[in-house]
Amino acid sequence: MAVHKEENFSYRLWRYDGAPGELIPLLQSAQDHFGYIPRKAISYISGVTGIPESDIYGVITFYSQFRLRPMGKYVIKACAGTACHVSDSKTIIETIEDELGIEVGGTTEDGLFTLNTVACIGCCSLAPVIMINDDTHGRLTPASLRKLLRSYKRREKSSQGDKSAA
Amino acid sequence: MKKVIVGMGTCGLSAGARQTYERFSELLSENPGVFELAHTSCIGMCYREPLVEIREGEDRILYGEVTPELADEIYQSHIARGKILEDHVALHLGKGGAAKGSESEFYSLQNKIVLRNCGTIDPESIDEYEEKGGYRAIRKVLEEMEPAEIIGVIKESGLRGRGGAGFPTGLKWSFAAGYDSEIKYVVCNADEGDPGAFMDRSVLEGDPHSVLEGMVICARAIGASSGYIYCRAEYPLAIHRLTIAIGDAREKGYLGENILGSGFSFDIEIKQGAGAFVCGEETALFASIEGQRGMPRIRPPFPAEKGLWGKPTNNNNVETYANVPWIITNGADAYSAFGTEKSRGTKVFALAGKVVHGGLAEVPMGTSIHDLVFKIGGGIKEGREFKAVQMGGPSGGCIPAHLDHTPVDFESIPATGAIMGSGGMVVLDDKTCMVEIARFFLEFTQEESCGKCTFCRIGTLRMLEILTKITKGEGEPEDIEKLLVLGEQIKESSLCGLGQTAPNPVLSTIRYYRDEYEAHINDKKCPAGSCSALVDFLIDPEKCTGCTICAKNCPVDAITGKAKEVHVIDGSICVKCGKCITSCNFDAVYKK
């Protein structure tokens, strides 16, 4: 969620006045803008701030929020928190991997789905839980999960069909 | 006029509160002026979300599991005709009277200080916070109290840090106050990283002003002029509401230059964490605010002397700050009246796992685990057997059921080998494997270890390898001893709290459940029936439709059966890969 509308990536870069501690917010806004941190953004940030690219890369790889590759249209966040874990979230994650043919951290070839795990979504009473973009789906079983994923696939297929028809 | 208040914290929203709110909003536009519509945050009963309150004066009726359809019924019956839908009432709070309704026990055993406004006020309205007595404490400290007096009150109240370590808050403040510096910082640690803990998120979403007010009071006490809230980026709603709250507080003169005309200035900035558990450690948190890799550094110097940007800094967590305005307004004695001799006040717990009432509860320190799990928590799901509670997340340990009389406070909990932690309490039943739960936490800390200290970086990996081996049935008798030795070494040789506590989940489960470890190693059995490699995979003939999909997916052809007939798994061929479970469309495959 963007906090201020004007706080976009280029504005932040332009506004940079050498104040320390700006690197992480800059990277966050780059990722907000592009969906990931492209090679070019690292060069831009380095050019403006004078921080070596290697240091920036070090910060990017330290934090789990940052990614160096584009994400799918639907980002699945499978909760791996304690409450979900004791509700067998492992089977849930394996089911997603199986249904989509990707592993945790991967993106499907058609660019539709990216699968990640998160420490805790915070709706432990609905365990096991996943989020697909901003929608939360709880109390899942392998069967209900497959149905859910297939409904996303179907929706996507039919909307593509609409487009090609138009 | 009746006021309809929809609970819209993260838990409510994920249970569908948005649709419920929209339905009420439609009803209101069809019937303008019939009722007022508002929203609030989490009241703690996450297990009954979406919750809707109908408030009329002092009378408050909370309905649970309100779908858009039930919203219609509530409108037609309760709002239009004054007829309460008793079957759906979770809680009924009348004027002065005791709580009624199905969840009255959950509610009435609690004492709400930190959560005093959560689920009651609109967190995006500074006016509602003020109506509840908010920001009076700031006025009091600025107009009537010297900084030393503020610290005196906090010391006297007995408040101890709620992030987990329980360091006396007043004492901490006095350290930072004691260093002379033009620039000092107040930092709020809102990087709540324990999987299974969501206390701080609920406070930030439900009552952000209380945290801001606590920070201003601390700033006044130690003489700081700027502050940071370091909040997880995974909490977008909390960040959104904090941003609104900071803007409103500035506008009303509670933040910024010359607060309330006193000449004292203090402002707060939000820094979003980027996802690193170790940043909950204060020196790592400072490094992260400074824009670096969040790695801890050696103490001393302590943050009170050289913290953020090398300046004197006071760092407390969300819940600690949220207590402060209440203590200033109500006095140290009122606060220390709650709790035990050494652990004063209340503590918020996030109940999760195999407990019936998953949610948030604030109880006086010293309440027993039994009361939390059975009275407030409503017991174990599906009537299963209570096995243990896990407290303190990846830094904590398991407390077995036979110690459930243990009071929750900063002395008794560590004596069991667990830690108080920030308040995550995950309830485990007889189907939870203790070796597996230890492996789960170690996998987490192993991944989150920043890599600075060798023992934490490599030692946790070796422990994880051993635990994984045990859960796969490949454990050897000497493995338990190796885990104990490694665990002690990692604790002694790590710089920060992450490494010093990482072995706790393993050590505490070995202490109480050594027989389970031995069963995995010697008998190649998982007593809880959870570790895939050590259990049998079976097909429930009641659920199997004979669709053949499991047989097609089985990599070793262990499943036989004709189409439209019940299938059977041959245990002597099965390699326990779990493909049949994940591929079945009818949830017919199970482990035993």
Side-chain angles (χ1 to χ4, degrees):
Chain A
M1 192 184 300
V3 175
H4 295 299
K5 271 211 174 118
E6 71 273 20
E7 295 276 288
N8 63 35
F9 180 50
S10 51
Y11 176 80
R12 265 204 181 260
L13 267 186
W14 174 79
R15 186 192 77 152
Y16 178 76
D17 58 357
E22 272 298 288
L23 177 58
I24 291 172
L26 277 170
L27 290 170
Q28 282 167 334
S29 62
Q31 183 155 298
D32 270 352
H33 188 84
F34 299 105
Y36 71 109
I37 299 175
R39 184 71 185 74
K40 256 188 180 167
I42 301 178
S43 311
Y44 284 145
I45 294 173
S46 175
V48 173
T49 60
I51 302 171
E53 290 190 15
S54 55
D55 282 11
I56 298 176
Y57 185 77
V59 169
I60 292 172
T61 52
F62 185 84
Y63 295 100
S64 62
Q65 182 191 11
F66 298 128
R67 20 208 99 251
L68 293 159
R69 266 184 245 132
M71 305 241 263
K73 181 175 176 187
Y74 298 105
V75 178
I76 304 174
K77 285 184 245 171
C79 184
T82 319
C84 285
H85 181 77
V86 298
S87 305
D88 209 7
S89 62
K90 207 169 141 241
T91 304
I92 295 297
I93 293 166
E94 281 168 7
T95 307
I96 303 173
E97 290 178 331
D98 198 50
E99 174 71 29
L100 301 179
I102 49 173
E103 288 186 359
V104 171
T107 300
T108 51
E109 267 174 31
D110 56 8
L112 267 188
F113 296 97
T114 296
L115 171 61
N116 291 318
T117 55
V118 289
C120 187
I121 295 174
C123 23
C124 305
S125 50
L126 300 175
V129 178
I130 67 166
M131 279 179 88
I132 302 184
N133 289 346
D134 289 331
D135 294 321
T136 312
H137 306 274
R139 300 198 177 111
L140 294 166
T141 65
S144 69
L145 177 59
R146 275 184 193 272
K147 266 187 208 141
L148 179 72
L149 292 174
R150 284 170 192 165
S151 77
Y152 272 86
K153 285 186 190 167
R154 258 201 312 277
R155 200 182 313 161
E156 204 51 41
K157 231 181 199 171
S158 68
S159 75
Q160 273 171 0
D162 290 348
K163 264 183 222 152
S164 55
Chain B
M1 196 194 303
K2 290 190 181 74
K3 193 170 176 183
V4 176
I5 306 166
V6 183
M8 292 172 86
T10 294
C11 47
L13 290 172
S14 48
R18 172 111 33 223
Q19 287 84 327
T20 307
Y21 184 86
E22 275 161 16
R23 184 62 203 138
F24 275 112
S25 169
E26 283 165 20
L27 287 165
L28 186 61
S29 58
E30 287 160 21
N31 310 278
V34 175
F35 61 93
E36 275 180 80
L37 183 60
H39 65 89
T40 184
S41 193
C42 177
I43 198 169
M45 281 188 263
C46 304
Y47 57 100
R48 296 292 304 264
E49 296 282 3
L51 282 159
V52 171
E53 178 183 339
I54 311 291
R55 192 182 297 182
E56 198 172 16
E58 297 275 312
D59 210 38
R60 301 173 59 189
I61 291 167
L62 271 96
Y63 288 105
E65 287 120 8
V66 183
T67 56
E69 294 75 43
L70 184 57
D72 277 345
E73 273 187 63
I74 292 173
Y75 174 75
Q76 280 153 19
S77 174
H78 188 153
I79 298 172
R81 292 187 285 128
K83 195 171 170 299
I84 297 168
L85 298 168
E86 296 290 352
D87 289 350
H88 299 280
V89 172
L91 195 64
H92 187 163
L93 299 169
K95 197 178 177 179
K100 286 181 287 189
S102 55
E103 312 304 329
S104 56
E105 193 165 34
F106 177 83
Y107 189 85
S108 55
L109 285 167
Q110 301 191 47
N111 283 98
K112 301 208 175 196
I113 293 177
V114 174
L115 303 177
R116 57 195 179 273
N117 294 323
C118 288
T120 305
I121 64 167
D122 174 357
E124 295 178 15
S125 157
I126 192 169
D127 295 336
E128 290 198 18
Y129 180 67
E130 286 178 316
E131 273 167 37
K132 289 277 174 185
Y135 286 120
R136 264 182 233 164
I138 284 191
R139 207 172 282 279
K140 187 169 169 185
V141 299
L142 290 177
E143 289 170 4
E144 300 167 22
M145 294 169 84
E146 290 296 314
E149 276 178 75
I150 304 172
I151 294 175
V153 171
I154 300 299
K155 272 186 182 167
E156 223 178 290
S157 73
L159 176 64
R160 294 170 66 171
R162 296 299 194 240
F167 193 82
T169 307
L171 194 60
K172 199 179 207 178
W173 289 16
S174 71
F175 293 154
Y179 287 99
D180 220 13
S181 172
E182 288 260 312
I183 301 168
K184 290 185 188 179
Y185 294 101
V186 168
V187 174
C188 174
N189 182 350
D191 192 44
E192 185 172 56
D194 287 6
F198 48 93
M199 302 75 50
D200 293 349
R201 195 204 64 214
S202 295
V203 175
L204 293 172
E205 285 178 4
D207 196 13
H209 287 288
S210 68
V211 180
L212 302 184
E213 189 174 9
M215 288 177 74
V216 176
I217 293 165
C218 172
R220 174 65 171 171
I222 70 164
S225 57
S226 49
Y228 290 95
I229 298 177
Y230 186 86
C231 185
R232 295 181 77 186
E234 290 92 333
Y235 287 175
L237 186 60
I239 291 171
H240 174 68
R241 289 188 175 155
L242 270 173
T243 309
I244 294 174
I246 290 174
D248 290 349
R250 277 188 196 136
E251 210 159 279
K252 288 232 175 181
Y254 297 121
L255 270 182
E257 292 291 316
N258 193 13
I259 295 173
L260 300 175
S262 65
F264 171 68
S265 302
F266 176 71
D267 211 343
I268 296 174
E269 197 182 316
I270 302 170
K271 284 277 179 182
Q272 288 191 39
F277 178 69
V278 70
C279 289
E281 211 286 332
E282 57 186 4
T283 58
L285 187 153
F286 299 154
S288 181
I289 293 181
E290 292 168 6
Q292 303 158 15
R293 291 162 71 96
M295 286 159 95
R297 60 162 179 75
I298 293 171
R299 293 176 296 184
F302 286 93
E305 185 187 354
K306 283 197 170 122
L308 185 60
W309 314 116
K311 302 291 177 194
T313 304
N314 182 76
N315 171 47
N316 285 120
N317 94 325
V318 170
E319 194 181 330
T320 314
Y321 285 124
N323 271 302
V324 169
W326 192 94
I327 295 171
I328 296 291
T329 311
N330 296 279
D333 291 345
Y335 190 78
S336 60
F338 293 105
T340 62
E341 196 192 330
K342 288 189 176 158
S343 304
R344 301 289 188 186
T346 59
K347 177 78 195 85
V348 183
F349 288 98
L351 279 170
K354 300 297 177 77
V355 66
V356 177
H357 299 165
L360 217 59
E362 181 173 358
V363 293
M365 288 277 189
T367 303
S368 72
I369 291 172
H370 184 272
D371 281 358
L372 267 161
V373 173
F374 288 93
K375 289 190 177 161
I376 291 174
I380 310 299
K381 270 185 193 167
E382 296 165 19
R384 298 198 71 91
E385 196 184 315
F386 173 41
K387 186 167 184 179
V389 289
Q390 207 287 340
M391 279 182 76
S395 314
C398 291
I399 303 173
H402 72 266
L403 294 178
D404 73 351
H405 55 272
T406 309
V408 289
D409 62 47
F410 289 114
E411 276 68 43
S412 314
I413 297 298
T416 66
I419 63 163
M420 268 294 271
S422 56
M425 194 179 252
V426 181
V427 179
L428 310 176
D429 69 7
D430 55 345
K431 270 166 73 184
T432 318
C433 170
M434 302 315 260
V435 185
E436 166 54 27
I437 201 91
R439 195 202 60 78
F440 164 72
F441 281 118
L442 211 70
E443 189 177 31
F444 180 84
T445 33
Q446 206 285 315
E447 199 173 307
E448 293 293 340
S449 168
C450 78
K452 186 165 182 162
C453 308
T454 317
F455 278 84
C456 178
R457 183 180 69 241
I458 299 171
T460 54
L461 183 60
R462 291 289 97 84
M463 284 181 84
L464 179 62
E465 284 166 359
I466 296 173
L467 286 165
T468 308
K469 219 172 73 179
I470 297 175
T471 55
K472 283 190 173 160
E474 295 159 11
E476 294 158 75
E478 61 272 21
D479 281 344
I480 298 180
E481 211 46 48
K482 276 189 198 160
L483 286 172
L484 291 172
V485 171
L486 269 170
E488 287 308 325
Q489 287 172 340
I490 294 167
K491 282 177 86 155
E492 279 168 26
S493 318
S494 299
L495 191 60
C496 82
L498 189 144
Q500 285 162 6
T501 59
N504 281 354
V506 183
L507 298 178
S508 87
T509 46
I510 293 179
R511 176 170 168 187
Y512 295 112
Y513 299 97
R514 201 180 178 116
D515 54 336
E516 266 188 51
Y517 279 82
E518 285 165 354
H520 282 77
I521 294 169
N522 302 333
D523 314 332
K524 310 294 172 202
K525 288 261 176 273
C526 174
S530 150
C531 295
S532 291
L534 303 176
V535 296
D536 294 322
F537 284 69
L538 300 163
I539 293 175
D540 184 347
E542 301 273 303
K543 287 186 182 167
C544 179
T545 61
C547 74
T548 73
I549 195 144
C550 56
K552 283 182 193 142
N553 274 288
C554 179
V556 291
D557 294 328
I559 305 176
T560 49
K562 287 181 188 155
K564 294 183 183 171
E565 281 175 24
V566 172
H567 283 48
V568 181
I569 300 173
D570 184 341
S572 64
I573 306 176
C574 176
V575 290
K576 296 160 189 188
C577 67
K579 275 268 176 207
C580 46
I581 292 194
T582 60
S583 66
C584 180
N585 285 318
F586 306 96
D587 295 326
V589 188
Y590 65 99
K591 296 186 273 188
K592 199 174 177 181

